[in-house]
Amino acid sequence: MIEEVQRHSVHTLVFRSLKRTHDVFISNQGMLPPVDEKAEKIRKAVKARDTYGLVMDRVRQNALRPPQLAITNGTSDKQPLAITDGSIPGETPNVPIVGAMQGSMALSTIGGSGSGTQTLMPRKAPAMPKPKWHPPWKLYRVISGHLGWVRCVAVEPGNEWFATGSNDRVIKIWDLASGRLKVSLTGHISNVRGLAVSSRHPYLFSCGEDRQVKCWDLEYNKVIRHYHGHLSAVYSLALHPTIDVLITAGRDYTARVWDMRTKANVHTLVGHSNTIASVISQVAEPQVVTGSHDCTIRLWDLAAGKSRCTLTNHKKSVRSVVFHPSLYMFASASPDNIKQWMCPDGKFTQNLSGHNAIVNCLAVNPDGVLVSGGDNGTLHCWDWRTGYNFQRLQAPVQPGSMDNESGIFAMTFDQSGSRLITTEADKTIKIYREDDTATEESHPINWRPEILKRKKY
């Protein structure tokens, strides 16, 4: 007789199946898979090569170099010590010949015609050259109108108006001469973080924390294109000066190169390991430079879409990079230092130390005035060539705003370089200009020739 199968509910059967599965895997369910040592070794080698490739090449080159010139090239027991005048009995003393040598020591050759002694003589420490005099800057206009922190600013090429973007999700266009509001553009659904005005088309480009990149037609004041692809907030954008290319960067660790007309994502520039805070573009190489919270600056080959150089000198996050308008150089800002670099290879030139704050933004004008804006509302003005800090300003907070809302988020000079526009955490836009009444006698340079210029890395 066939035994009848006992029937169970679906719930009981599913529970039993889960229990059997649990019993099968319970022995090692908490263990990680074994590490493949070969794969891990390859991964570390690739990472080291990508990050420190230039340094490793330099170490190998130094190892292959011949040893340095010995201090003493004479072997005679009769040779005098370097402290003496070099006279040896029976020989005519020679006049010391000092050879030029880079560094803090110079070689002197002392001795007879047969063999000489090369001695090290101390050289005077490098001093800061006298800086060029710049008139001090003063605040002359405060513009209110935004309902949130003002995060970005861009001046149009004709120098008639400028645009600002804010945490109130609105882009406002202001008349530069009078400071009056011309138009407000709405469309972003989160904070507006970057703006750029095209010099080749009547277009304004904007990006924000809503991951959107928009192209506005300024003849109709409407959005005509969207550039989709970023996976997180977009913090910065830049336009190429001569070709129809847009570069955007943000919190997804990438910079993306877009064809302005077709909206195609031409390149995705990957390599940073944290948020990219700033991106800039120029005609000459490197055509794109990015600064990131991973403490590095990358110089990019735009044609190949690859990194050509990584600068690791900064020890803290790089929040701003800016090109000099006429020199083949750029500057970068970080809480540890402001650094200047030579293009095209990113050769370090000098540190600008003293702005002890989180530096959010930089701006340079053709006269060689570099201005840095801090998260605590401080403005520092520097002479580009010498790195001399000729003025320090504390931006006044708008009445009714808390003192802790005094951060400067963005700044730019107008096209003439005579007006500085800053956007701030007290929801205002401030415009500075040079003090016409100042002279070298009324505002002298506090400079001494013995000021040391410490060149670190």
Side-chain angles (χ1 to χ4, degrees):
M1 194 174 179
I2 299 169
E3 189 175 346
E4 190 175 343
V5 177
Q6 187 177 0
R7 295 187 178 184
H8 294 284
S9 66
V10 175
H11 180 273
T12 306
L13 294 171
V14 169
F15 182 78
R16 286 183 179 177
S17 176
L18 286 173
K19 189 172 184 306
R20 279 196 295 271
T21 308
H22 181 267
D23 292 341
V24 168
F25 292 105
I26 191 66
S27 59
N28 63 349
Q29 60 100 14
M31 294 169 59
L32 293 169
V35 176
D36 187 339
E37 292 184 5
K38 186 178 178 183
E40 190 69 12
K41 191 174 179 182
I42 292 170
R43 188 185 74 82
K44 286 181 179 177
V46 169
K47 185 84 174 173
R49 183 70 197 172
D50 179 56
T51 309
Y52 304 109
L54 295 172
V55 179
M56 291 159 70
D57 291 342
R58 184 64 59 86
V59 169
R60 287 196 201 95
Q61 289 171 12
N62 289 346
L64 296 172
R65 278 185 187 169
Q68 295 293 326
L69 179 68
I71 292 175
T72 304
N73 62 5
T75 56
S76 172
D77 293 336
K78 296 190 297 179
Q79 291 297 331
L81 292 173
I83 299 171
T84 67
D85 63 353
S87 57
I88 301 172
E91 290 191 10
T92 307
N94 283 356
V95 178
I97 304 166
V98 180
M101 178 182 178
Q102 285 190 341
S104 60
M105 308 295 272
L107 282 172
S108 298
T109 305
I110 306 173
S113 58
S115 61
T117 302
Q118 294 203 342
T119 63
L120 286 172
M121 295 176 63
R123 173 174 283 186
K124 188 180 175 184
M128 179 193 282
K130 185 170 182 180
K132 177 186 173 184
W133 183 82
H134 298 283
W137 292 75
K138 65 178 183 180
L139 177 68
Y140 85 99
R141 177 170 288 148
V142 178
I143 301 172
S144 300
H146 279 292
L147 303 177
W149 288 355
V150 193
R151 302 302 298 249
C152 49
V153 59
V155 180
E156 67 103 12
N159 214 34
E160 292 181 0
W161 53 265
F162 66 95
T164 55
S166 165
N167 280 10
D168 62 8
R169 309 187 297 277
V170 179
I171 299 163
K172 289 182 183 285
I173 294 177
W174 312 84
D175 184 69
L176 187 56
S178 66
R180 289 197 182 91
L181 179 65
K182 290 167 75 78
V183 69
S184 295
L185 305 174
T186 57
H188 279 281
I189 57 173
S190 189
N191 306 342
V192 182
R193 293 297 295 265
L195 290 171
V197 186
S198 174
S199 58
R200 298 157 52 84
H201 309 283
Y203 296 157
L204 169 71
F205 294 86
S206 65
C207 64
E209 293 182 14
D210 51 9
R211 298 180 297 184
Q212 294 184 11
V213 182
K214 296 176 184 283
C215 173
W216 304 78
D217 188 324
L218 295 173
E219 291 175 348
Y220 299 97
N221 294 337
K222 290 183 179 177
V223 178
I224 56 169
R225 296 188 190 100
H226 285 95
Y227 302 87
H228 295 287
H230 276 285
L231 305 176
S232 190
V234 190
Y235 282 170
S236 180
L237 80 168
L239 292 169
H240 194 283
T242 56
I243 55 178
D244 288 344
V245 158
L246 168 70
I247 306 107
T248 58
R251 210 165 57 193
D252 59 1
Y253 308 176
T254 65
R256 294 175 187 266
V257 182
W258 309 89
D259 185 305
M260 193 186 290
R261 293 186 175 280
T262 65
K263 302 180 284 187
N265 188 178
V266 181
H267 292 304
T268 301
L269 308 178
V270 294
H272 282 294
S273 58
N274 209 327
T275 299
I276 301 175
S278 182
V279 60
I280 51 175
S281 180
Q282 67 174 0
V283 177
E285 293 294 341
Q287 293 185 56
V288 179
V289 176
T290 54
S292 168
H293 288 243
D294 63 8
C295 310
T296 67
I297 300 158
R298 282 184 182 253
L299 283 55
W300 301 90
D301 183 336
L302 185 60
K306 292 180 180 176
S307 175
R308 53 180 285 160
C309 180
T310 305
L311 310 176
T312 58
N313 302 43
H314 280 291
K315 298 293 174 282
K316 294 188 178 178
S317 59
V318 183
R319 291 182 176 233
S320 182
V321 282
V322 65
F323 285 120
H324 191 284
S326 54
L327 301 178
Y328 197 30
M329 298 175 72
F330 69 95
S332 59
S334 171
D336 58 358
N337 262 321
I338 297 166
K339 296 180 187 290
Q340 291 178 348
W341 315 85
M342 291 288 291
C343 298
D345 301 319
K347 183 184 176 186
F348 171 73
T349 56
Q350 67 177 348
N351 277 327
L352 279 61
S353 302
H355 199 165
N356 300 318
I358 297 172
V359 183
N360 283 330
C361 47
L362 292 174
V364 195
N365 74 358
D367 292 336
V369 176
L370 172 68
V371 185
S372 55
D375 217 36
N376 57 359
T378 54
L379 274 174
H380 283 217
C381 302
W382 313 80
D383 177 47
W384 177 280
R385 187 176 64 88
T386 59
Y388 173 69
N389 183 200
F390 68 88
Q391 189 182 12
R392 298 183 179 189
L393 292 164
Q394 175 72 47
V397 179
Q398 184 187 30
S401 177
M402 294 182 292
D403 282 343
N404 60 354
E405 288 199 68
S406 59
I408 300 172
F409 290 122
M411 63 169 62
T412 185
F413 283 99
D414 71 349
Q415 304 298 340
S416 66
S418 61
R419 284 173 288 193
L420 174 69
I421 305 166
T422 66
T423 64
E424 312 204 2
D426 63 358
K427 306 173 189 173
T428 65
I429 301 139
K430 296 186 174 74
I431 305 181
Y432 297 80
R433 66 180 173 198
E434 292 178 339
D435 188 350
D436 300 332
T437 61
T439 62
E440 286 196 54
E441 289 74 31
S442 65
H443 293 77
I445 297 174
N446 182 22
W447 168 84
R448 300 182 309 279
E450 63 269 17
I451 296 175
L452 289 183
K453 188 65 185 166
R454 294 184 181 87
K455 182 174 178 179
K456 296 181 182 177
Y457 54 86

